[in-house]
Amino acid sequence: MISMNKVSKNYGSFQVLADCTTEVHKGEVIVVCGPSGSGKSTLIKCVNGLEPFQSGEIVVNGVSVGDPKTNLSKLRSTVGMVFQNFELFPHMSIIDNLAIAQIKVLGRSQDQAREKGSKLLERVGLAVQAEKYPGQLSGGQQQRVAIARALAMDPICMLFDEPTSALDPEMVNEVLDVMTELAQEGMTMMCVTHEMGFAKRVASRVIFMDQGRIVEDDSKDAFFEHPRSERAQQFLAKILHH
Amino acid sequence: MGYNWNWGVFLQPTSTGDDTYLGWMFYGFKVTIALSLSAWLIALALGAVVGVLRTVPNKWLSGFATAYVELFRNIPLLVQLFLWYFVMPELLPERMGDAFKQSNPFMQQFLASMVCLALFTSARVAEQVRSGINSLPPGQKNAGLAMGFTLAQTYRYVMLPMAVRLIVPPLTSEFLNIFKNSAVCSTIGLLELAAQGRQLVDYTAQPYESFIAVTLAYLVINIVVMFGMRWVEEHVRVPGYLGGK
Ligand SMILES: Nc1ncnc2c1ncn2[C@@H]1O[C@H](COP(=O)(O)OP(=O)(O)OP(=O)(O)O)[C@@H](O)[C@H]1O
Ligand SMILES: [Mg+2]
């Protein structure tokens, strides 16, 4: 579904991504982790073309992201993305947040879009908040709305960039629960996260990045039981200690 | 002080006989309002476009917009007015230039003033629009694009609605400025509020009454604009955002 081949990106002389190669198959859940600044966000933003890259190739569902002829907007409408800071549209009610792109991008009618939106809100347990505004919701609620908003586009896969790291600890689980459910339903997902409990529960594979390189790309059992690189061992020791 | 107050002067017929002095003032008031409002509407539209262009990821477009802003913001308003009124008609294609010069003098003065104020103010509006867009959380643009919006749609549905809300207060002061700046247009002979005030002094030798009346008229405009813009601000306030509830 997503394949990356030797993707490299640099800002001037600084290499953010170096020869990143990996493959995400339909229904897989890939957890991407690594120290701060290792290029995780950049990597997943390359998948839907939010970040350009200088060399290599990324193909999503048969479409080459780096090809200048590719209609990126169309591609992005099929790839859901959830951000660290939720990024709901603050001037729209929750239900409008879910409906707007369905209407303007997919051409659905107002009624269809709202109905779909309501169903998804119900699914993330927020049906009663439909008419509120993002600023009136807690962080955890906003992130669940953001997930519902992405799902409203019927995406073929979902990208998550540290979806729980801006949340108060007591709200982390409500978001992880939604993500776990999604994973168990067979959604193809690529998640940047340091929630190792989530990774152990649902990941098919874990990618570990360091200094722009994919250092490990292994099944979760192999990764957690015998990480090969020293950097990954140190990283796990630090993070699992918490 | 041996000044002879005479508020009754406003009700006296003018020396030309066809109106009262109050009528003259009211005429100037209407010209000021018509000029400022029409220039303001053009300035908002142009300023929004130029402000957006300053933020787009295309160096030709943003370079053009930067040049536009610098040009109209840095040449003194009075000089711009003279350029529009005296120089521009000569630079137009001959037919258009002649048509302009043959139209009635009021139209010439009004059009030159309107274009001048509109462009001058649009550069300032553009700066506000740009700063509004730049003060949005950086992730908003990516969030719009990630939903499948084109860049234009992302501006239209995601960035501009919030940016505009953020800049209502500075826009209020630009709106007030355009009324004050319109007084400059009396220098090319446009009979707006300030010019009528001066004319009244020439004809009646009652400067205090005249300038007090002019001041009050500007004050009324200020108050109406401030209340109007405050109403707008309340009206577009986003629940739960920036302390709004
Ligand atoms: N516009 C830019 N110009 C220069 N360097 C940049 C730019 N954007 C990101 N970087 C650098 O690229 C590197 C990778 O950034 P990225 O955000 O992908 O890291 P990350 O792994 O997601 O880190 P974090 O865990 O902090 O989110 C960082 O060292 C960052 O400083
Ligand atoms: Mg990151």
Side-chain angles (χ1 to χ4, degrees):
Chain A
M1 168 124 343
I2 302 171
S3 77
M4 294 194 183
N5 192 7
K6 297 203 167 196
V7 174
S8 299
K9 174 182 176 75
N10 46 275
Y11 290 111
S13 63
F14 179 71
Q15 187 127 36
V16 200
L17 296 178
D19 282 338
C20 294
T21 301
T22 189
E23 188 92 24
V24 183
H25 299 105
K26 191 164 165 35
E28 274 188 323
V29 176
I30 308 297
V31 163
V32 180
C33 59
S36 179
S38 55
K40 309 175 298 288
S41 300
T42 310
L43 185 78
I44 72 163
K45 281 186 198 149
C46 283
V47 172
N48 64 351
L50 285 179
E51 290 274 1
F53 47 93
Q54 279 95 6
S55 66
E57 193 184 36
I58 300 179
V59 177
V60 177
N61 204 26
V63 180
S64 168
V65 179
D67 186 341
K69 288 195 289 283
T70 296
N71 180 342
L72 275 182
S73 301
K74 192 162 171 216
L75 173 76
R76 289 177 186 137
S77 71
T78 65
V79 177
M81 186 157 196
V82 175
F83 299 84
Q84 184 170 358
N85 295 313
F86 332 134
E87 305 298 351
L88 295 178
F89 308 137
H91 57 290
M92 290 179 204
S93 66
I94 299 303
I95 189 72
D96 286 340
N97 261 276
L98 272 77
I100 179 103
Q102 296 184 61
I103 297 168
K104 303 296 177 187
V105 176
L106 301 181
R108 290 179 185 158
S109 74
Q110 179 92 18
D111 289 345
Q112 276 176 315
R114 288 183 150 245
E115 196 185 315
K116 172 115 195 168
S118 305
K119 276 201 193 116
L120 284 162
L121 277 182
E122 204 161 309
R123 174 166 167 191
V124 298
L126 293 169
V128 294
Q129 314 283 6
E131 300 303 330
K132 288 204 179 153
Y133 283 77
Q136 298 171 313
L137 267 52
S138 73
Q141 291 173 326
Q142 288 190 55
Q143 196 60 299
R144 285 187 279 155
V145 171
I147 295 172
R149 178 176 72 174
L151 292 175
M153 304 294 283
D154 293 319
I156 56 171
C157 61
M158 291 278 287
L159 308 173
F160 293 83
D161 189 2
E162 304 206 32
T164 57
S165 59
L167 295 175
D168 291 338
E170 75 269 20
M171 295 175 185
V172 168
N173 281 328
E174 62 189 70
V175 171
L176 289 180
D177 287 347
V178 171
M179 290 170 62
T180 303
E181 215 181 284
L182 202 56
Q184 283 163 351
E185 282 166 18
M187 175 62 79
T188 311
M189 296 163 61
M190 210 169 160
C191 313
V192 176
T193 181
H194 290 159
E195 294 294 336
M196 290 302 136
F198 171 77
K200 284 181 177 162
R201 239 178 300 144
V202 299
S204 333
R205 283 192 349 256
V206 178
I207 288 177
F208 177 78
M209 292 188 71
D210 189 29
Q211 298 180 353
R213 291 184 182 277
I214 293 184
V215 180
E216 310 238 354
D217 183 350
D218 239 331
S219 74
K220 71 172 167 199
D221 295 333
F223 179 75
F224 285 114
E225 278 153 38
H226 337 276
R228 279 172 303 189
S229 68
E230 207 173 307
R231 285 295 283 143
Q233 286 164 15
Q234 289 168 355
F235 178 78
L236 276 177
K238 239 189 264 167
I239 210 157
L240 293 178
H241 237 79
H242 286 304
Chain B
M1 194 170 77
Y3 185 77
N4 263 329
W5 289 96
N6 177 13
W7 288 101
V9 69
F10 290 110
L11 298 177
Q12 289 169 12
T14 61
S15 55
T16 46
D18 50 0
D19 205 348
T20 58
Y21 287 114
L22 186 65
W24 273 14
M25 290 292 242
F26 190 61
Y27 173 84
F29 184 74
K30 283 191 294 189
V31 172
T32 290
I33 300 275
L35 172 64
S36 304
L37 282 184
S38 54
W40 177 244
L41 292 179
I42 300 170
L44 276 185
L46 278 178
V49 172
V50 174
V52 166
L53 289 184
R54 285 205 78 175
T55 65
V56 299
N58 175 313
K59 68 176 197 288
W60 294 104
L61 290 175
S62 64
F64 162 79
T66 305
Y68 178 99
V69 167
E70 294 305 324
L71 181 69
F72 289 108
R73 219 170 42 146
N74 290 328
I75 300 176
L77 181 59
L78 188 63
V79 175
Q80 291 190 37
L81 182 63
F82 287 176
L83 288 173
W84 286 112
Y85 186 63
F86 296 113
V87 180
M88 203 55 199
E90 308 300 330
L91 301 179
L92 287 173
E94 209 171 309
R95 289 252 296 284
M96 276 173 74
D98 287 343
F100 180 79
K101 283 181 258 179
Q102 281 155 18
S103 64
N104 80 46
F106 172 78
M107 271 324 276
Q108 292 181 33
Q109 292 155 355
F110 190 88
L111 279 178
S113 301
M114 183 179 82
V115 170
C116 172
L117 281 178
L119 295 188
F120 176 80
T121 308
S122 72
R124 306 177 58 92
V125 169
E127 279 302 90
Q128 301 300 347
V129 169
R130 177 180 75 122
S131 82
I133 291 172
N134 286 342
S135 63
L136 296 174
Q140 287 279 299
K141 181 175 164 188
N142 274 345
L145 293 174
M147 297 302 294
F149 287 133
T150 60
L151 184 62
Q153 285 178 319
T154 303
Y155 271 94
R156 165 73 184 78
Y157 298 117
V158 179
M159 295 162 75
L160 281 176
M162 278 316 290
V164 166
R165 285 171 165 87
L166 294 178
I167 62 172
V168 172
L171 280 186
T172 302
S173 76
E174 290 307 331
F175 196 8
L176 293 172
N177 278 340
I178 206 168
F179 286 97
K180 292 180 226 160
N181 287 337
S182 70
V184 167
C185 301
S186 62
T187 55
I188 58 168
L190 184 72
L191 293 177
E192 45 66 72
L193 185 54
Q196 292 295 64
R198 227 169 307 140
Q199 186 153 279
L200 210 80
V201 179
D202 292 342
Y203 279 77
T204 65
Q206 297 290 150
Y208 288 95
E209 291 83 345
S210 165
F211 285 125
I212 287 171
V214 168
T215 306
L216 285 178
Y218 280 115
L219 198 66
V220 167
I221 292 173
N222 264 355
I223 290 170
V224 170
V225 167
M226 285 203 306
F227 274 96
M229 292 299 275
R230 199 166 301 160
W231 180 84
V232 169
E233 207 177 332
E234 293 283 325
H235 210 72
V236 300
R237 177 163 290 172
V238 172
Y241 193 80
L242 290 177
K245 266 267 149 26

